[in-house]
């Protein structure tokens, strides 16, 4: 098992639960931390996360707890907390973390205020811990049910990357190695913002041509920001960039796209979010993505438009009009 026997999963939402299922099916000991006591009770007693992943039978080897202290000594931790809560959670976990145990970042977003990537947040809360990023086109329900899925496992150390892939991979869950941590993070963060825009296009009935154009131009925005931050453009052409973008922008199963669909149909954002028990990361990430792009002089008009809508500074129709009235330019820009 490449030295990994006990795996901690930090975050009891749909994605964290699905990843705990992946670990358990690999025959490893897995302890899942969830903030909500009722989530832990359901997983431990009826083997289902009725709050975030209803209808999926969970492996009996998964043990859930709302005490981060029970994760002490784990050989590896998968970090699956919402981006804006990652720092606070990991500051507590760091008191129990085994020295040198790798952290695999599975949440997607940019910290508001500091504009730091989640890998930077983990480096500050757990200095000295190796960090990898797991990202790619993967709906939690598909992964939890064992349907074929491929993701990027980004890690600067190829030897560690190989060990992590061996520990987490299986016939149905296939990680592909990449050395570009920043590229993997930007792909996962920006695609959530773009998925809101894709949902708005669908909700407004603007047609499949507009939907395809948005994905292509959104991909250009994502790549520009990643390269400005030191990533490699080819990373964004892979699973953690284009692959994740296509999935998230193409199905209302995505929380971000479904949010955009509702906005496009005229619903109010506060009503949309108020009816949900899980985080819509694109809403929280939009202002941070836009601020980070401005800091680096990167033009991201689609993300700017989404940010204006979710911040209440612009209506949907006005944002669409502004995008469609932009000057004609080269596709390479």
């Amino acid at each position: 098992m490449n030295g990994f026997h006990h795996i901690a999963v930090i975050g009891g939402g749909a994605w964290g639960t699905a990843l705990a299922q992946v670990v358990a099916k690999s025959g490893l000991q897995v302890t899942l931390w969830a903030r909500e006591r009722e989530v832990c009770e359901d997983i431990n007693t009826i083997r289902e996360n009725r709050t975030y992943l209803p209808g999926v039978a969970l492996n009996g080897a998964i043990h859930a707890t709302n005490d981060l202290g029970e994760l002490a000594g784990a050989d590896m931790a998968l970090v699956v907390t919402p981006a804006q809560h990652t720092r606070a959670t990991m500051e507590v976990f760091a008191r129990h973390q085994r020295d040198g145990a790798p952290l695999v970042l599975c949440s997607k977003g940019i910290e508001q205020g500091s504009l730091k990537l989640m890998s930077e947040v983990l480096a500050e809360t757990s200095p000295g811990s190796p960090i990898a990023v797991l990202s790619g086109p993967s709906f939690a329900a598909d992964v939890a049910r064992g349907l074929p899925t491929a993701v990027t496992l980004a890690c600067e150390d190829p030897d560690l990357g190989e060990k992590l892939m061996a520990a987490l991979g299986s016939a149905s869950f296939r990680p592909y190695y990449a050395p570009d941590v920043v590229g993997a993070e930007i792909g996962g963060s920006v695609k959530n913002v773009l998925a809101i825009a894709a949902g708005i296009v669908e909700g407004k009935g603007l047609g499949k041509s507009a939907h395809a154009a948005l994905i292509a131009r959104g991909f250009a925005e994502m790549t520009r920001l990643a390269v400005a931050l030191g990533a490699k453009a080819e990373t964004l052409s892979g699973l953690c960039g284009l692959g994740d973008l296509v999935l998230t922008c193409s199905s209302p199963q995505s929380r971000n796209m479904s949010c955009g669909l509702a906005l496009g149909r005229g619903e109010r954002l506060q009503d949309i979010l108020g009816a949900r028990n899980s985080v819509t990361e694109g809403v929280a990430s939009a202002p941070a993505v836009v601020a980070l792009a401005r800091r680096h002089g990167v033009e991201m008009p689609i993300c700017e438009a989404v940010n204006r809508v979710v911040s209440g500074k612009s209506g949907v129709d006005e944002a669409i009009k502004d995008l469609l009235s932009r000057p004609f330019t080269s596709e390479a820009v």
Side-chain angles (χ1 to χ4, degrees):
M1 292 298 180
N2 298 291
F4 301 120
H5 304 285
H6 178 200
I7 312 300
V9 178
I10 306 173
W15 187 220
T17 304
L19 289 172
Q21 186 91 317
V22 168
V23 173
K25 286 182 177 180
S26 296
L28 302 175
Q29 179 187 351
V30 54
T31 305
L32 170 70
W33 175 84
R35 179 175 55 84
E36 303 90 340
R37 186 179 299 274
E38 61 272 18
V39 168
C40 298
E41 291 176 352
D42 278 355
I43 292 174
N44 291 334
T45 56
I46 66 171
R47 294 298 160 193
E48 182 181 354
N49 186 337
R50 292 185 294 186
T51 303
Y52 297 112
L53 198 61
V56 177
L58 299 178
N59 192 299
I62 300 172
H63 171 68
T65 178
N66 65 349
D67 178 6
L68 283 167
E70 288 196 41
L71 308 184
D75 302 310
M76 176 206 313
L78 308 185
V79 183
V80 207
T81 48
Q84 306 310 321
H85 300 284
T86 295
R87 182 181 295 275
T89 302
M90 294 305 292
E91 285 175 345
V92 178
F93 173 70
R95 305 170 194 164
H96 310 287
Q97 183 184 3
R98 182 171 69 80
D99 289 344
L103 299 174
V104 181
L105 177 63
C106 308
S107 51
K108 301 169 181 179
I110 296 169
E111 188 176 51
Q112 293 181 0
S114 73
L115 303 185
K116 291 184 177 180
L117 303 181
M118 291 297 101
S119 61
E120 296 175 297
V121 172
L122 295 188
E124 291 178 358
T125 58
S126 299
S129 294
I131 296 170
V133 174
L134 187 73
S135 185
S138 48
F139 283 145
D142 293 348
V143 172
R145 291 188 171 99
L147 299 178
T149 305
V151 295
T152 297
L153 190 290
C155 179
E156 293 180 357
D157 180 350
D159 291 334
L160 175 60
E162 184 176 342
K163 292 176 182 178
L164 292 173
M165 288 192 296
L168 300 174
S170 67
S172 60
F173 189 77
R174 301 186 58 80
Y176 286 77
Y177 174 74
D180 187 359
V181 170
V182 172
E185 281 204 81
I186 291 299
S189 300
V190 176
K191 62 94 180 182
N192 286 329
V193 182
L194 296 171
I196 295 176
I200 290 174
V201 167
E202 290 287 315
K204 291 294 293 185
L206 299 182
K208 294 300 182 183
S209 299
H211 181 257
L214 184 137
I215 291 177
R217 296 309 298 161
F219 177 66
E221 291 189 16
M222 171 191 292
T223 303
R224 283 198 297 268
L225 179 60
V227 170
L229 293 172
K232 297 179 179 179
E234 54 264 35
T235 304
L236 281 300
S237 298
L239 292 163
C240 61
L242 183 59
D244 208 359
L245 179 66
V246 169
L247 177 69
T248 313
C249 289
S250 301
S251 172
Q253 190 175 339
S254 157
R255 292 190 298 269
N256 295 285
M257 186 179 181
S258 64
C259 176
L261 275 167
L263 287 170
R265 292 168 179 162
E267 296 182 36
R268 298 190 309 164
L269 181 63
Q270 63 191 66
D271 295 332
I272 299 167
L273 300 182
R276 301 180 170 198
N277 61 12
S278 55
V279 174
T280 303
E281 284 284 12
V283 174
S285 293
V289 167
V290 167
L292 188 61
R294 290 173 181 168
R295 175 184 288 180
H296 290 272
V298 176
E299 192 174 20
M300 302 184 74
I302 299 173
C303 290
E304 288 267 10
V306 171
N307 185 49
R308 290 198 302 274
V309 169
V310 300
S311 65
K313 296 177 182 177
S314 172
V316 168
D317 291 337
E318 180 186 354
I320 294 172
K321 181 180 178 181
D322 288 345
L323 281 174
L324 295 180
S325 62
R326 286 173 55 81
F328 301 121
T329 187
S330 167
E331 189 172 21
V333 176

